[in-house]
Amino acid sequence: MRKAVLVTGASSGVGLALCKRLLEEDHELHLCLACRNRSKAEAVRAALLASRPLAEVSIVQVDVSDLQSVFRASGELKQRFQRLDYVYLNAGIMPNPQLNIKALFSGLFSRKVIHMFSTAEGLLTQEDKITADGLQEVFETNVFGHFILIQELAPLLCHSDSPSQLIWTSSRNARKSNFCLEDIQHSRGQEPYSSSKYAVDLLSVAVNRNFNSRGLYSSVVCPGTMVTNMTCGILPPFVWTLLMPIIWLVWLFHQKPESLNPLTKYLSATTGFGSNYVMTQKMDLDEDTAEKFYQNLLELEKHVRATIQKRNHQS
């Protein structure tokens, strides 16, 4: 039976690279591209099938910054699939990143220069906005939309006979100092991307606490410094060429989900000689905070569902 893999944000960047690598590893997958733009997804599907004609590639249209879209796509997926073996929760945004020139130049002449470029710590600030659902856009896109997707797809993910796996695209820029349980949407801060990625780390830990017994496991990964539509405008292309490793996160595809450490982040890396490998990093968080965050999301989910139902009833 073909393994079923769902990848959000599959039409470009990390998501597209993952799809290509996954089909290289197993060309008999059923790969489902979860994308906001259907025409782009169709073009990606055609290109993937041209190189891997034995693969089965389908599309579901979903915008994780729009909860109505998430509910609609979830219903469609539950009609198509009996189970999902892997879900790569990759779609995300970093809106209008602004480079802090002062921080850049001060960092260049400090001992933290490598850390600064590998994490973007202190370099980037963003201006967030509110979505039609009344939520902060970065939080809804990077965290909450995926959370709702998981909740809706639980019947496809929770099987005691053979475990399923969630794999989140996090970041080395996921900083504890930018996250606050009293402001989980980061509405009062200037680094919503960093906050959202730390929230992803917390959510992955909480999912393991609440779903491992039901056969669902979760891991977080960092693809390394990559040239995507989020990053290419921040620094000149030649700088990214020097910094960029080759993605190696497909390594997780070969691991038993239950054998992975839920408190570890897996990072894609490349040696100076071009060899790819995966390194590990202990996440700077605790399980109690993760569980509190998870409960906050459940409360927010109740509120948002009630609001959407009321809005639909009025229309």
Side-chain angles (χ1 to χ4, degrees), residues 204-250:
S204 179
V205 171
V207 166
N208 282 312
R209 287 190 65 172
N210 288 275
F211 285 91
N212 279 179
S213 62
R214 298 167 61 186
L216 177 61
Y217 293 81
S218 181
S219 298
V220 290
V221 298
C222 175
T225 305
M226 297 189 68
V227 179
T228 69
N229 55 1
M230 269 199 239
T231 59
C232 62
I234 299 170
L235 291 173
F238 77 90
V239 177
W240 291 124
T241 301
L242 296 174
L243 296 173
M244 182 178 64
I246 299 174
I247 193 167
W248 195 243
L249 300 181
V250 74

Side-chain angles (χ1 to χ4, degrees), residues 127-159:
E127 292 183 6
D128 208 351
K129 61 183 181 182
I130 304 296
T131 68
D133 295 312
L135 303 172
Q136 296 294 136
E137 184 180 36
V138 176
F139 168 79
E140 182 169 7
T141 306
N142 296 3
V143 185
F144 195 63
H146 284 125
F147 169 75
I148 295 296
L149 187 66
I150 295 166
Q151 297 288 96
E152 290 293 303
L153 296 181
L156 304 183
L157 295 167
C158 297
H159 298 274

Side-chain angles (χ1 to χ4, degrees), residues 76-113:
E76 188 176 332
L77 289 167
K78 283 185 281 190
Q79 289 182 340
R80 286 197 219 166
F81 293 93
Q82 292 184 327
R83 66 168 291 146
L84 290 170
D85 297 283
Y86 298 90
V87 178
Y88 286 82
L89 300 158
N90 164 73
I93 58 169
M94 182 195 292
N96 303 320
Q98 303 293 320
L99 181 63
N100 187 327
I101 300 297
K102 182 178 179 181
L104 172 63
F105 279 99
S106 62
L108 286 174
F109 301 100
S110 73
R111 291 177 296 177
K112 296 183 177 181
V113 60

Side-chain angles (χ1 to χ4, degrees), residues 18 29 68 85 91 100 114-115 134 154 160 168 170 177 185 187 194 198 204 225 228 262 269 315:
L18 275 171
L29 289 175
Q68 292 275 34
D85 297 283
N100 187 327
I114 296 177
H115 175 77
S160 57
W168 303 79
S170 182
S177 59
Q185 298 190 49
S187 59
S194 174
Y198 188 80
S204 179
T225 305
T228 69
S315 61

Side-chain angles (χ1 to χ4, degrees), residues 4 6 30-34 38 45 56-61 72-84 156:
L6 177 72
H30 183 157
L31 180 62
C32 185
L33 314 176
R38 189 168 189 91
R45 178 179 180 273
E56 186 174 353
V57 183
S58 60
I59 295 170
V60 63
Q61 189 171 12
R72 187 166 52 250
S74 300
E76 188 176 332
L77 289 167
K78 283 185 281 190
Q79 289 182 340
R80 286 197 219 166
F81 293 93
Q82 292 184 327
R83 66 168 291 146
L84 290 170
L156 304 183

